[in-house]
Amino acid sequence: MSEIGQFFLAEHASKRSRYTGLWCDYRLMELFDLHQHVEWNSRLNGLLSSAPIDWPARREGLSDIPTGGLARLQYLFSVPSTDMEDVSSSLFEEVVADALEDAAAAGARFTQLRLPQEAVALGSFMEHFKLALKQVQRDYPDFQAGAMLSLNLWDPTAEEVADVLPDAASEGLAGIELLYVPYAAEADWSIGRILATSAAESGLEVSVPVGAFTDANMESVLQLDGVSRIGHGVHAVGDERFLQQIRERSISVEICLTSAILLGMVDSPAGHPIHTFLNEDIDVVLGTDSPLRLGTSIAHEYDLARTLGVSDSDLDCISRRASTLMSIAI
């Protein structure tokens, strides 16, 4: 069995709880998740379906896909979609609260949740996000959360979202994420450039997942004005130019270890380049990516970083970097 397969069986097939790997006492360290998707269709499936997807069983099926990459991504993330036009604001709040409550229950001090582009159809979607957060804070009063809006560059309406960004920013939106296709080959960044510029002019952060399975789109993304964070970035380490640009532009790298390992972004857990980023003085933050589907939590991500040799001192720096980005005192 491969090293990734062994990791999967050891860390993700556990039946002890919904989450895995809560080995350490994190009361002395604040946990920040700066890359978490709301997993809209997956959570709707769990809330509304009479026979919801068995995610632990779905994850076990990853072992039948020997090579990582898009095949694993498509297998794990394939969920029937729901038309947002049929979704009420109360159901939207329920889905968001479900994601936030999971994060808070697993020990997160702060989670930055990525909402689907379709949320703009609700009008003042940030007000609904705040109402969902208040629900969670009744049980977890110290928990805080922010929101980013994931934009699909292949969607014909994506460019129109630029018009709502100033108002959304004034209502508390923290930033946008740019999603694109093809993911492992060069994409068209004309719309992405417009959205990144508009977001930056509105005071929003811009995050782009890139370099997960290949270095495709890495150069294009690093040339976009306004990009302040990149997700995954595993294949950035293969070119010193990329590392230099990331460092010189003070771009933070959102590292999601479980995602990288289970989806095959790296050949082995030990092969993840988190140490390269740290040694290159590149700002690193941690995230869960899709915690429901991947069976992880931010506590587990910090734990996993520790098992890969990241020191407590570096983990503390990672938390403090995240707290600075989110303007939260720790």
Side-chain angles (χ1 to χ4, degrees):
M1 181 182 296
S2 70
E3 187 175 354
I4 289 179
Q6 292 172 352
F7 167 88
F8 169 75
L9 290 176
E11 306 303 338
H12 291 267
S14 170
K15 304 301 181 182
R16 291 175 298 171
S17 68
R18 180 172 181 176
Y19 299 103
T20 58
L22 302 180
W23 312 316
C24 302
D25 185 350
Y26 285 100
R27 288 174 294 181
L28 301 179
M29 185 178 294
E30 303 280 15
L31 308 183
F32 289 78
D33 187 345
L34 298 196
H35 188 122
Q36 178 182 341
H37 290 275
V38 72
E39 302 175 274
W40 177 258
N41 291 315
S42 299
R43 292 189 184 275
L44 268 182
N45 173 266
L47 291 170
L48 302 180
S49 175
S50 59
I53 294 170
D54 183 341
W55 288 107
R58 172 83 60 102
R59 289 192 294 274
E60 287 181 12
L62 287 172
S63 60
D64 296 328
I65 306 175
T67 58
L70 294 179
R72 286 189 182 182
L73 182 71
Q74 292 166 352
Y75 162 79
L76 188 62
F77 287 18
S78 177
V79 183
S81 61
T82 301
D83 192 338
M84 282 287 291
E85 293 183 358
D86 299 328
V87 174
S88 65
S89 58
S90 60
L91 182 56
F92 175 81
E93 291 169 20
E94 185 177 0
V95 172
V96 171
D98 186 59
L100 294 179
E101 185 172 15
D102 279 354
R109 169 74 161 81
F110 177 93
T111 290
Q112 192 172 66
L113 200 62
R114 302 183 181 206
L115 307 175
Q117 174 179 315
E118 293 81 3
V120 299
L122 295 174
S124 184
F125 65 92
M126 281 304 302
E127 291 305 314
H128 297 301
F129 173 84
K130 293 173 186 176
L131 289 172
L133 175 57
K134 286 182 179 179
Q135 292 181 39
V136 177
Q137 288 175 330
R138 293 170 190 160
D139 293 324
Y140 302 93
D142 295 329
F143 175 72
Q144 296 186 48
M148 298 186 82
L149 191 63
S150 291
L151 303 180
N152 306 322
L153 299 187
W154 62 87
D155 190 319
T157 66
E159 187 175 356
E160 299 173 10
V161 178
D163 296 332
V164 309
L165 292 181
D167 287 341
S170 68
E171 294 172 356
L173 183 69
I176 64 170
E177 175 186 51
L178 300 180
L179 304 176
Y180 55 93
V181 290
Y183 192 44
E186 291 299 324
D188 180 357
W189 287 97
S190 55
I191 303 299
R193 190 171 297 107
I194 293 170
L195 289 168
T197 299
S198 177
E201 290 175 348
S202 299
L204 298 172
E205 284 205 270
V206 178
S207 173
V208 187
V210 68
F213 303 114
T214 72
D215 64 1
N217 296 294
M218 183 66 66
E219 188 165 0
S220 297
V221 168
L222 293 177
Q223 290 177 354
L224 288 178
D225 291 336
V227 172
S228 52
R229 288 151 59 182
I230 61 171
H232 308 302
V234 171
H235 289 272
V237 300
D239 193 322
E240 178 58 36
R241 294 177 307 147
F242 297 153
L243 294 175
Q244 183 176 351
Q245 290 178 63
I246 292 169
R247 184 173 52 249
E248 290 180 348
R249 291 187 55 186
S250 298
I251 292 174
S252 298
V253 179
E254 304 158 349
I255 288 180
C256 306
L257 292 168
T258 296
S259 179
I261 293 167
L262 291 188
L263 297 181
M265 299 178 198
V266 293
D267 293 332
S268 69
H272 193 284
I274 185 170
H275 291 287
T276 301
F277 291 124
L278 293 171
N279 292 337
E280 291 281 342
D281 293 323
I282 289 171
D283 290 323
V284 166
V285 294
L286 294 180
T288 54
D289 198 355
S290 299
L292 174 65
R293 290 175 284 196
L294 293 167
T296 190
S297 69
I298 194 58
H300 178 64
E301 296 303 306
Y302 274 74
D303 242 338
L304 184 51
R306 183 178 277 110
T307 67
L308 296 180
V310 179
S311 68
D312 284 349
S313 175
D314 280 337
L315 285 173
D316 184 64
C317 288
I318 287 172
S319 284
R320 292 184 182 279
R321 171 58 181 166
S323 72
T324 299
L325 283 174
M326 299 300 105
S327 300
I328 297 174
I330 60 174

